[in-house]
Amino acid sequence: MTKMNVESFNLDHTIVAAPYVRLAGLKEGQHGDVVHKYDIRFKQPNKEYMNMDALHSIEHLMAENIRNHSEQVVDLSPMGCQTGFYLSVINHDNYDEILSILEKTLQDVLNATEVPACNEVQCGWAANHSLEGAKELAREMLEKRAEWSTVFAT
């Protein structure tokens, strides 16, 4: 493969084993701050994907709740391929703690009674949500918690 500018374009998606959480990149700022970007893969690339209404809702739930577990979260954003999310944190290099933060956040999803900001004022497609779909994605991911550190198929 030709080396690409986008890190995930250099990842061989045929040899990963979702679900997993992997460090996808580091970016150091001029003053020493370091942003760590994690690939949080829920679904096996090119085999499965998250339905958009469930993905949309779990994005709202995770983006809102993850900040209750870490002040170092910069962003949580969905992948266009609908197989996972990118989590960016600043000055936080403890992988095991990231897994713990993610686990707590997914537990928050399971305990949710509504999707935050699920209205036309706060959301660009408020009609496209599924709380139950989000909970199912969280449940599936948590059931495989022991596998999150294994990125590649053996």
Side-chain angles (χ1 to χ4, degrees):
M1 288 189 311
T2 303
K3 177 98 168 116
M4 305 289 287
N5 292 323
V6 177
E7 185 276 339
S8 66
F9 294 168
N10 296 308
L11 175 69
D12 184 343
H13 287 70
T14 66
I15 61 172
V16 297
Y20 63 78
V21 178
R22 75 177 180 94
L23 180 62
L26 300 171
K27 186 73 109 177
E28 188 168 343
Q30 292 179 6
H31 304 289
D33 288 319
V34 179
V35 174
H36 293 74
K37 181 175 87 171
Y38 291 91
D39 170 348
I40 302 173
R41 198 68 63 142
F42 278 63
K43 298 292 185 177
Q44 184 63 34
N46 299 300
K47 305 283 184 205
E48 306 171 294
Y49 64 93
M50 293 180 273
N51 288 328
M52 194 50 136
D53 57 351
L55 180 152
H56 191 186
S57 293
I58 200 169
E59 177 218 355
H60 275 230
L61 285 155
M62 288 175 62
E64 180 63 21
N65 286 297
I66 199 167
R67 289 166 168 86
N68 295 331
H69 304 295
S70 175
E71 293 182 8
Q72 292 154 306
V73 171
V74 174
D75 189 41
L76 178 94
S77 52
M79 296 176 181
C81 60
Q82 297 172 237
T83 62
F85 295 88
Y86 287 112
L87 171 64
S88 296
V89 295
I90 192 164
N91 299 328
H92 191 302
D93 63 356
N94 186 323
Y95 176 79
D96 290 329
E97 193 172 307
I98 292 296
L99 297 183
S100 177
I101 290 165
L102 178 58
E103 183 175 6
K104 290 174 189 174
T105 302
L106 291 170
Q107 288 293 339
D108 293 339
V109 172
L110 292 180
N111 295 325
T113 57
E114 64 182 10
V115 176
C118 181
N119 60 70
E120 291 185 5
V121 173
Q122 296 174 292
C123 178
W125 195 10
N128 189 45
H129 282 280
S130 171
L131 177 59
E132 287 310 311
K135 287 183 176 194
E136 181 58 28
L137 290 171
R139 222 178 339 270
E140 290 172 0
M141 190 71 170
L142 286 166
E143 285 172 0
K144 303 220 175 166
R145 170 62 176 90
E147 300 173 24
W148 291 0
S149 296
T150 304
V151 176
F152 298 101
T154 55

